[in-house]
Amino acid sequence: MTTAGSPRRALKAQARGIVKSLKAAARGEKIANDPGGKIAAALKRDSFTFGVAMDDKVIRIEMPWTMIRETDSEALAEWMVAQMQEATFQ
């Protein structure tokens, strides 16, 4: 697990893993870590709310599926790292 003060490379690795799963779900692929099918059910809504678990907190993020589909993976990962570090994203 990571904290807001973890090395950027650790946060980035965690964010990339999350983004990889989100992109796969947006393409309609079955997600291995979705045993209850909640991600698949969320595809029927406009946005997806998920949590990022860290040692010192859990961040709640809501993202529209259009943003997940249309935004580059690296850009999404960078945005997520900023949220994990509690930075202001402009």
Side-chain angles (χ1 to χ4, degrees), residues 34-61:
D34 185 27
K38 291 182 180 183
I39 295 173
L43 286 168
K44 296 174 184 169
R45 296 189 294 272
D46 291 335
S47 63
F48 180 59
T49 302
F50 59 97
V52 177
M54 301 174 75
D55 278 345
D56 57 343
K57 64 187 166 213
V58 174
I59 300 169
R60 183 176 176 209
I61 297 175

Side-chain angles (χ1 to χ4, degrees), residues 7 33 35 63-64 82:
N33 60 352
M63 296 181 87

Side-chain angles (χ1 to χ4, degrees), residues 18-37:
I18 295 166
V19 169
K20 182 178 178 182
S21 293
L22 289 173
K23 288 285 198 178
R27 290 189 299 268
E29 296 175 17
K30 184 168 173 59
I31 305 301
N33 60 352
D34 185 27

